[in-house]
Amino acid sequence: MTIEAIITRALEVRFIDARTLATEAKLNLNIAGYPSKEQEQQILREAISLFVSKSLESQREMKKQAEILETATKAFYDSDHSINKKKGDDHSSASTSVTVP
């Protein structure tokens, strides 16, 4: 799992916000390129520190945007599954049926 994914889960923010925090943390720690496992922990701590240093309004906005994205994504996949089920394209089963005229 990438450090951005870890930050996304730890802080409950969007991946793009986690990437920004990770980049800032790497710059602060003078880490270039792919981090080692030890450096990932340092980046995580620094990213959390950066997040906490932001205003409460900024923190809330980042979390709110993550919730909006999650809600929209869920609604999209739920509606897509609903549409496909009506067409008979239920992808939830492992078997595939083919109708030959």
Side-chain angles (χ1 to χ4, degrees), residues 23-89:
T23 300
E24 286 181 53
K26 285 173 73 174
L27 287 171
N28 290 351
L29 298 168
N30 293 318
I31 296 173
Y34 293 103
S36 66
K37 289 295 180 190
E38 181 181 307
Q39 289 173 325
E40 282 183 355
Q41 292 304 311
Q42 293 172 337
I43 294 168
L44 177 59
R45 284 191 295 274
E46 182 68 16
I48 290 170
S49 177
L50 289 166
F51 180 77
V52 171
S53 72
K54 294 186 179 296
S55 70
L56 285 176
E57 185 177 329
S58 293
Q59 292 177 28
R60 286 184 187 125
E61 184 62 27
M62 290 171 98
K63 288 182 176 282
K64 179 183 172 187
Q65 291 299 321
E67 290 172 9
I68 290 169
L69 179 61
E70 181 66 29
T71 300
T73 302
K74 185 176 180 340
F76 172 77
Y77 284 113
D78 286 350
S79 68
D80 185 53
H81 181 73
S82 169
I83 290 168
N84 286 333
K85 198 168 190 176
K86 287 177 186 173
K87 291 180 182 178
D89 296 337

Side-chain angles (χ1 to χ4, degrees), residues 7-9 11-15 17-18 21 51 62-63 66:
I7 294 168
T8 296
R9 290 183 178 191
L11 298 177
E12 297 178 341
V13 296
R14 297 176 302 167
F15 188 85
D17 293 325
L21 290 167
F51 180 77
M62 290 171 98
K63 288 182 176 282

